[in-house]
Coordinates of all heavy atoms in Angstrom, one line a residue:
G1 N -43.7 48.2 34.2 CA -43.1 49.5 34.7 C -43.1 49.6 36.2 O -42.9 50.7 36.8
R2 N -43.1 48.4 36.9 CA -43.1 48.5 38.4 C -41.7 48.4 39.0 O -41.6 48.7 40.2 CB -44.0 47.3 38.9 CG -45.5 47.5 38.5 CD -46.3 46.2 38.7 NE -46.2 45.8 40.1 CZ -46.6 44.6 40.6 NH1 -47.1 43.7 39.7 NH2 -46.6 44.3 41.8
I3 N -40.8 47.8 38.3 CA -39.4 47.8 38.8 C -38.5 48.2 37.6 O -38.8 48.2 36.5 CB -39.0 46.3 39.3 CG1 -39.1 45.3 38.1 CG2 -40.0 45.9 40.4 CD1 -38.5 44.0 38.5
S4 N -37.2 48.4 38.0 CA -36.2 48.8 37.0 C -35.6 47.5 36.5 O -35.7 46.4 37.0 CB -35.1 49.7 37.7 OG -34.3 48.9 38.5
F5 N -34.8 47.7 35.4 CA -34.1 46.6 34.8 C -33.1 45.9 35.7 O -33.1 44.7 35.8 CB -33.3 47.1 33.5 CG -32.6 46.0 32.8 CD1 -33.3 45.2 32.0 CD2 -31.2 45.9 32.9 CE1 -32.6 44.1 31.3 CE2 -30.6 44.9 32.2 CZ -31.3 44.0 31.4
L6 N -32.4 46.7 36.5 CA -31.4 46.1 37.4 C -32.1 45.4 38.6 O -31.5 44.5 39.2 CB -30.5 47.2 38.0 CG -29.4 47.7 37.0 CD1 -28.7 48.9 37.7 CD2 -28.5 46.6 36.6
D7 N -33.4 45.8 38.9 CA -34.1 45.1 39.9 C -34.4 43.6 39.6 O -34.7 42.8 40.5 CB -35.5 45.8 40.2 CG -35.3 47.1 40.9 OD1 -34.3 47.3 41.6 OD2 -36.2 48.0 40.8
I8 N -34.4 43.3 38.3 CA -34.7 41.9 38.0 C -33.8 40.9 38.7 O -34.2 40.0 39.4 CB -34.6 41.7 36.5 CG1 -35.7 42.5 35.8 CG2 -34.8 40.2 36.1 CD1 -35.6 42.5 34.2
A9 N -32.4 41.2 38.6 CA -31.5 40.3 39.2 C -31.6 40.3 40.7 O -31.5 39.3 41.4 CB -30.1 40.7 38.8
D10 N -31.9 41.5 41.3 CA -32.0 41.6 42.7 C -33.2 40.8 43.2 O -33.1 40.1 44.3 CB -32.2 43.1 43.1 CG -31.0 43.9 42.9 OD1 -29.9 43.4 42.8 OD2 -31.1 45.2 42.8
H11 N -34.3 40.8 42.5 CA -35.5 40.1 42.9 C -35.2 38.6 42.9 O -35.6 37.8 43.7 CB -36.7 40.4 42.0 CG -37.4 41.7 42.4 ND1 -36.7 42.9 42.6 CD2 -38.7 42.0 42.6 CE1 -37.5 43.9 42.9 NE2 -38.7 43.3 42.9
V12 N -34.5 38.1 41.8 CA -34.2 36.7 41.6 C -33.3 36.3 42.8 O -33.5 35.2 43.4 CB -33.6 36.5 40.3 CG1 -33.1 35.0 40.2 CG2 -34.6 36.7 39.1
E13 N -32.3 37.0 43.1 CA -31.3 36.7 44.1 C -32.0 36.6 45.5 O -31.8 35.7 46.3 CB -30.2 37.7 44.2 CG -29.1 37.4 45.2 CD -28.0 38.3 45.2 OE1 -28.2 39.6 45.1 OE2 -26.8 37.9 45.2
A14 N -32.9 37.5 45.7 CA -33.6 37.6 47.0 C -34.5 36.3 47.2 O -34.6 35.7 48.3 CB -34.5 38.8 47.1
A15 N -35.2 35.9 46.1 CA -36.0 34.7 46.1 C -35.2 33.5 46.4 O -35.5 32.6 47.1 CB -36.8 34.6 44.8
M16 N -34.0 33.4 45.7 CA -33.1 32.2 45.9 C -32.6 32.1 47.3 O -32.4 31.1 47.9 CB -32.0 32.3 44.9 CG -32.4 32.1 43.4 SD -31.1 32.3 42.2 CE -29.9 31.0 42.7
Q17 N -32.4 33.3 48.0 CA -31.8 33.3 49.3 C -32.9 32.9 50.4 O -32.6 32.3 51.4 CB -31.2 34.7 49.6 CG -30.0 35.0 48.9 CD -29.5 36.4 49.1 OE1 -30.2 37.2 49.6 NE2 -28.2 36.6 48.7
S18 N -34.1 33.2 50.1 CA -35.2 33.0 51.1 C -36.0 31.8 50.9 O -36.7 31.3 51.8 CB -36.1 34.2 51.1 OG -36.8 34.3 49.8
A19 N -35.9 31.1 49.7 CA -36.7 30.0 49.4 C -36.4 28.7 50.2 O -35.2 28.6 50.6 CB -36.6 29.6 47.9
T20 N -37.4 27.9 50.5 CA -37.2 26.6 51.1 C -36.5 25.7 50.1 O -37.1 25.4 49.0 CB -38.5 26.0 51.6 OG1 -39.0 27.0 52.6 CG2 -38.3 24.7 52.3
F21 N -35.4 25.1 50.5 CA -34.7 24.2 49.5 C -35.2 22.8 49.6 O -35.3 22.3 50.7 CB -33.2 24.3 49.8 CG -32.3 23.4 48.9 CD1 -32.3 23.7 47.6 CD2 -31.7 22.3 49.4 CE1 -31.5 22.9 46.7 CE2 -30.9 21.5 48.6 CZ -30.8 21.8 47.3
I22 N -35.4 22.2 48.5 CA -35.8 20.8 48.4 C -34.8 20.1 47.5 O -34.6 20.4 46.4 CB -37.2 20.6 47.9 CG1 -38.2 21.4 48.7 CG2 -37.6 19.1 47.9 CD1 -39.6 21.4 48.1
A23 N -34.0 19.2 48.1 CA -32.9 18.5 47.4 C -33.3 17.6 46.3 O -32.7 17.6 45.2 CB -32.0 17.8 48.4
N24 N -34.4 16.9 46.5 CA -34.9 15.9 45.5 C -36.4 16.1 45.3 O -37.2 15.3 45.7 CB -34.6 14.5 45.9 CG -33.1 14.2 46.1 OD1 -32.4 14.2 45.1 ND2 -32.6 14.0 47.3
P25 N -36.7 17.2 44.6 CA -38.2 17.5 44.5 C -38.9 16.6 43.5 O -38.4 16.1 42.5 CB -38.1 18.9 43.9 CG -36.8 19.0 43.1 CD -35.9 18.1 43.9
S26 N -40.1 16.3 43.9 CA -41.0 15.6 42.9 C -41.7 16.6 42.0 O -41.5 17.9 42.2 CB -42.2 14.9 43.7 OG -43.0 15.9 44.4
L27 N -42.4 16.2 41.0 CA -43.1 17.1 40.1 C -44.0 18.0 40.9 O -44.1 19.2 40.7 CB -43.8 16.4 39.0 CG -44.4 17.2 37.9 CD1 -43.3 18.0 37.2 CD2 -45.2 16.3 36.9
E28 N -44.7 17.4 41.9 CA -45.7 18.2 42.7 C -44.9 19.2 43.5 O -45.4 20.4 43.7 CB -46.4 17.2 43.7 CG -47.4 16.3 43.0 CD -46.8 15.2 42.2 OE1 -45.6 14.9 42.5 OE2 -47.4 14.7 41.2
D29 N -43.7 18.9 44.0 CA -42.9 19.9 44.8 C -42.5 21.1 43.9 O -42.6 22.2 44.4 CB -41.6 19.2 45.3 CG -41.8 18.2 46.4 OD1 -42.8 18.3 47.1 OD2 -41.0 17.2 46.5

């Protein structure tokens, strides 16, 4: 009950935009 249904996509998009990208990640990565 902390966010709305529409917030789910917004949170995912924000994470994808801000995350550090690793092109060839290992399992540890």
